[in-house]
Amino acid sequence: MKNIRKIRNQGLPIFVSIFLCGMILLSPFTSSASEETSMDVIGRLYEFGEKSEYEISSTQVHKMTTETSTLGTCSVSGTISRTFEKDDIPAYEVADNEFIAFSYVYDGSLLDDSDDAWHLTEDNKKIVDGIDLPDKIKHGALIFQTSLDRETWITSQIYTDLVPSQGKEPYEKKFLTNEIQLTNGCYYRMIVVYKMEFETGTAKYVLFDKPVYEYKKIAEVYEFYAGYRNAGIEQLSANERKYSLGALVNAGKGDGYSGTAPVDGEDLHYGWELGNFFVSGYTEKTDDQIFLKNVGDRITLWFNLKQDITSLNGDTRLRIIEDKNGYDQEFQTPKMNFGYGTLIIRYTDYQGVKHDPVIYENYLKALTSEGANVRVKFFEEGDYEVALDYKIKNTKGLGKTSDYRISFQFKVRNGNCMVYPFDIKNRSELTDSSVTEHGFYLDLARSRYLKINVTRAVWTRGTGGYTEDIRYNRPARDGEEYTDEGIYTIEVSNPSTGKTTEKKIYVGTDNILKAFMKADNGGYSINEIAELVDKGAEIQQDGTIILPAKGTVEGIQERSVMDADEIAEVISPGSTVEGGHQPLETVLLVPEEIEGDYSGLFFAILGTVSGCGAGILIYGLWKKKRSSFDLKKGTGK
């Protein structure tokens, strides 16, 4: 046959080899480096006799021919971080908050083969391995299943008459994963079945010859596992903080689960609980159902099923039944097969936009067993509405049925009260009191519910010193840029915690304003710094203030004689400027030309001299030696 994929009889060894190679080739991919990819899935082939019902569960030996055609190709696509092997089947680690899809593409080949080769024919059965199909298999059927434990399989979708009689063009059936499956880690199974025939000759009848055929049935089974990186690993600890949510009501009967009647003594649901939802992974909870999260927190919704859904409250006559035509009026969902319970989650973002509800039909059956805590979803900031709709029937007598709804709302907020300014040019983070010549932008770190206000002040120097002018005081948004010169005050408040934070950033090149922003400059006002500069202080590029030293000596050199009191005044930190602040440390540099017995004295006081003690020291020596220094000649009398 032409263009036919082959499944060979190496079985598990070649399967393992393929995926070990895949691991080597894909490693060390991580979630942050993940990209969209697509790869084929290797399956197993089962061959059965004409009278079989594709009993793949009871088949002990997988009968595989050396070269066998398949009906199509199974593949996986999406943002896959890593491939590996789990329980002897292919496994895929999915990038966080992403999804993947499994596809089956019919290639159109088996329908075209001539009578002297194996080709597709109709199968009028309606059962596959104990699974009842809604219609006859005809030209192939596809069954897609999921399982949380690889023991209890839930049939998600069924397609019959997979290949139309004239279907020569390839076509695709696609199945998407969902967040509950990937959060917990899920097994998937795709079963493709079809009947084939081969003309072996003819048999002579009275008036004509009739072709004689040999028949066989084929099942292609593709099994795989997928989950997020921490799927199935993270478990609840006994002392972890948990908070239960949800209120049960009798939601009527067949009217969109819109009823709100309380469960009373005559109700099917009276006196027992199906299960409960609860939230974990939060740092704190407020009184109005707001869960606060910090960095590293993973706020998670769980559901604990407490009942066997086929024997509720220990009564085999009381059970969850399939709702084939269900809908939820509050969420405005379309009518669909809700299966054995449907979970619905709707998210409202920080802009007040209600997103389309996410629907997990057949939810209770997918949980497989009572007693287990099953993760529903990890939650980021936002408002959430959750409802679990299910139908109960008492098979005793007339078979009373009722609809029930467990619903609740909650909010998730970041607990911090921080905004992060970044330099526009080099993208480095700016801390409080930072200076940037280029401007900055704000990063809210996905904290969408903080209230942020930015004030821009411009300082202008006039005859009376610097004066402040507030140019604006307005709310800010994530990513907003600020490039105009000025001192910006960023005020952040968190309505959920009542906490506030303030940061100041200077944009510009004015050295006096740079010095004002520098936290370790002694707390001078802008005008005090300007006065220091007027008296000879220098300001370095980073805003550090250097008070006059060498310049003072050069000024003294212009005079021939200076008495000790004048020297003491120059070098003493005791003198003040406006505002009463002490000048910073002062250094007196002595010219090399100074000679005589007093040069040692100058070097003794070279460096840091504090208070009036320096003046007293020099004055005392002057009195003793009748000091009058000729600094120009370097002699002392």
Side-chain angles (χ1 to χ4, degrees):
M1 300 178 190
K2 300 178 294 182
N3 302 321
I4 305 299
R5 293 189 311 109
K6 309 295 182 183
I7 296 183
R8 302 183 182 277
N9 199 22
Q10 282 85 348
L12 182 58
I14 192 170
F15 172 86
V16 174
S17 299
I18 290 171
F19 278 91
L20 285 177
C21 290
M23 290 174 65
I24 294 172
L25 290 173
L26 291 176
S27 295
F29 280 10
T30 63
S31 296
S32 60
S34 301
E35 296 180 355
E36 288 282 337
T37 187
S38 178
M39 61 187 75
D40 287 351
V41 178
I42 306 300
R44 293 176 178 173
L45 197 69
Y46 297 81
E47 186 175 311
F48 305 94
E50 179 184 359
K51 303 298 184 182
S52 75
E53 294 179 342
Y54 305 94
E55 300 90 349
I56 59 174
S57 298
S58 60
T59 301
Q60 300 301 314
V61 179
H62 304 160
K63 182 179 180 182
M64 306 177 71
T65 59
T66 303
E67 293 188 353
T68 306
S69 303
T70 59
L71 194 63
T73 304
C74 178
S75 63
V76 57
S77 61
T79 310
I80 298 172
S81 303
R82 181 171 67 98
T83 63
F84 57 104
E85 187 179 317
K86 182 178 176 66
D87 301 328
D88 297 330
I89 62 174
Y92 309 98
E93 181 182 292
V94 182
D96 288 347
N97 301 316
E98 297 288 345
F99 302 96
I100 60 174
F102 298 102
S103 302
Y104 191 83
V105 179
Y106 164 66
D107 59 19
S109 59
L110 293 183
L111 198 63
D112 295 336
D113 289 321
S114 60
D115 289 340
D116 60 353
W118 285 105
H119 57 273
L120 199 61
T121 189
E122 286 193 6
D123 186 348
N124 291 318
K125 296 284 188 179
K126 295 178 65 176
I127 188 168
V128 174
D129 195 34
I131 303 170
D132 292 323
L133 307 186
D135 297 296
K136 296 177 180 179
I137 295 171
K138 291 191 175 180
H139 290 94
L142 189 153
I143 302 167
F144 189 73
Q145 299 178 309
T146 63
S147 174
L148 294 180
D149 58 7
R150 210 186 175 193
E151 293 181 4
T152 302
W153 290 95
I154 306 302
T155 298
S156 174
Q157 290 174 274
I158 297 175
Y159 295 96
T160 57
D161 202 15
L162 193 60
V163 181
S165 58
Q166 300 300 319
K168 298 180 181 181
E169 294 297 324
Y171 66 91
E172 179 181 32
K173 297 294 185 184
K174 180 173 284 190
F175 309 92
L176 297 175
T177 58
N178 65 47
E179 197 162 17
I180 291 179
Q181 296 165 353
L182 297 177
T183 296
N184 292 277
C186 187
Y187 294 91
Y188 301 86
R189 186 164 67 180
M190 188 185 297
I191 303 172
V192 180
V193 298
Y194 46 92
K195 184 177 180 180
M196 300 180 72
E197 66 180 11
F198 174 77
E199 185 176 342
T200 60
T202 59
K204 195 166 187 66
Y205 284 79
V206 178
L207 298 177
F208 55 87
D209 293 338
K210 182 179 180 181
V212 176
Y213 290 95
E214 181 180 342
Y215 297 95
K216 64 180 178 181
K217 292 185 178 181
I218 301 295
E220 301 172 24
V221 179
Y222 304 90
E223 201 173 345
F224 24 81
Y225 171 91
Y228 293 136
R229 182 174 58 179
N230 295 316
I233 298 175
E234 182 181 355
Q235 298 296 328
L236 277 171
S237 61
N239 58 353
E240 185 170 354
R241 179 181 294 184
K242 298 181 283 288
Y243 190 87
S244 292
L245 295 167
L248 171 69
V249 295
N250 185 314
K253 184 177 180 180
D255 50 0
Y257 295 87
S258 58
T260 58
V263 174
D264 58 25
E266 301 299 320
D267 203 290
L268 296 175
H269 217 310
Y270 183 76
W272 57 272
E273 187 179 34
L274 177 69
N276 73 291
F277 290 94
F278 59 92
V279 172
S280 72
Y282 59 94
T283 296
E284 192 55 78
K285 176 191 169 296
T286 68
D287 293 336
D288 48 355
Q289 301 294 62
I290 297 177
F291 294 93
L292 301 175
K293 66 189 295 290
N294 291 329
V295 175
D297 286 348
R298 293 168 65 85
I299 293 186
T300 308
L301 179 65
W302 304 74
F303 182 70
N304 178 262
L305 180 64
K306 298 181 178 181
Q307 302 286 337
D308 178 350
I309 65 172
T310 65
S311 181
L312 299 172
N313 200 29
D315 187 347
T316 57
R317 296 169 299 182
L318 196 63
R319 59 182 57 208
I320 304 288
I321 62 170
E322 186 177 15
D323 186 352
K324 295 183 178 180
N325 198 31
Y327 67 100
D328 189 291
Q329 182 171 294
E330 181 177 344
F331 291 116
Q332 299 291 292
T333 65
K335 288 188 175 182
M336 58 188 296
N337 187 347
F338 269 17
Y340 296 83
T342 285
L343 178 67
I344 305 172
I345 301 176
R346 182 164 64 188
Y347 161 63
T348 301
D349 63 27
Y350 69 101
Q351 295 175 315
V353 177
K354 289 183 180 292
H355 293 236
D356 291 338
V358 180
I359 303 173
Y360 305 99
E361 69 272 12
N362 217 18
Y363 178 70
L364 293 174
K365 194 170 183 181
L367 297 182
T368 71
S369 62
E370 71 271 20
N373 294 320
V374 177
R375 279 185 294 271
V376 177
K377 181 179 172 65
F378 295 124
F379 290 94
E380 297 298 335
E381 278 199 312
D383 298 350
Y384 297 92
E385 303 165 82
V386 181
L388 175 62
D389 299 335
Y390 55 97
K391 185 183 292 289
I392 293 179
K393 181 176 182 177
N394 188 342
T395 59
K396 179 182 178 181
L398 298 176
K400 180 181 178 181
T401 63
S402 286
D403 296 342
Y404 294 92
R405 194 172 196 262
I406 301 174
S407 62
F408 53 93
Q409 300 179 10
F410 68 97
K411 301 177 181 180
V412 175
R413 300 289 187 269
N414 284 338
N416 70 347
C417 186
M418 288 292 292
V419 64
Y420 301 91
F422 285 87
D423 189 284
I424 284 179
K425 184 175 182 179
N426 57 31
R427 305 296 177 181
S428 61
E429 183 182 347
L430 301 174
T431 57
D432 185 31
S433 300
S434 289
V435 173
T436 171
E437 295 183 4
H438 313 288
F440 66 94
Y441 66 92
L442 296 179
D443 185 347
L444 306 189
R446 300 178 67 85
S447 295
R448 306 298 191 184
Y449 294 86
L450 298 179
K451 294 185 179 300
I452 301 171
N453 200 78
V454 174
T455 301
R456 176 183 170 229
V458 175
W459 289 80
T460 306
R461 190 171 189 177
T463 56
Y466 278 85
T467 57
E468 182 184 24
D469 181 26
I470 302 297
R471 305 312 299 266
Y472 59 72
N473 185 333
R474 68 191 188 197
R477 63 178 181 272
D478 191 26
E480 190 165 1
E481 296 184 351
Y482 302 88
T483 57
D484 294 331
E485 183 174 6
I487 295 177
Y488 293 83
T489 302
I490 307 166
E491 299 170 290
V492 186
S493 63
N494 189 330
S496 300
T497 64
K499 300 296 183 182
T500 60
T501 301
E502 182 179 289
K503 290 185 178 183
K504 288 181 179 290
I505 305 291
Y506 171 57
V507 176
T509 57
D510 188 315
N511 283 341
I512 289 175
L513 295 180
K514 286 183 180 180
F516 172 69
M517 296 298 293
K518 193 169 178 62
D520 56 357
N521 267 344
Y524 291 107
S525 71
I526 291 176
N527 283 321
E528 287 173 342
I529 296 172
E531 186 173 348
L532 287 175
V533 171
D534 290 343
K535 291 183 177 181
E538 294 181 359
I539 299 177
Q540 295 183 331
Q541 184 66 25
D542 66 349
T544 301
I545 302 173
I546 304 296
L547 293 185
K550 184 176 180 181
T552 302
V553 173
E554 291 173 351
I556 295 171
Q557 287 175 339
E558 295 178 0
R559 298 177 53 184
S560 60
V561 178
M562 184 177 186
D563 64 26
D565 285 337
E566 290 175 299
I567 297 173
E569 182 178 355
V570 171
I571 65 174
S572 171
S575 59
T576 61
V577 294
E578 180 185 350
H581 292 289
Q582 298 283 336
L584 299 183
E585 297 175 349
T586 304
V587 177
L588 179 63
L589 301 180
V590 181
E592 292 181 358
E593 294 83 4
I594 292 181
E595 299 175 356
D597 296 334
Y598 299 101
S599 61
L601 169 63
F602 281 94
F603 285 100
I605 63 173
L606 179 64
T608 304
V609 182
S610 61
C612 63
I616 295 172
L617 172 62
I618 296 174
Y619 183 77
L621 292 172
W622 170 75
K623 292 286 289 183
K624 182 176 181 181
K625 298 292 184 178
R626 300 173 60 220
S627 302
S628 176
F629 303 114
D630 186 344
L631 296 178
K632 196 174 185 75
K633 297 181 179 179
T635 59
K637 296 180 182 180

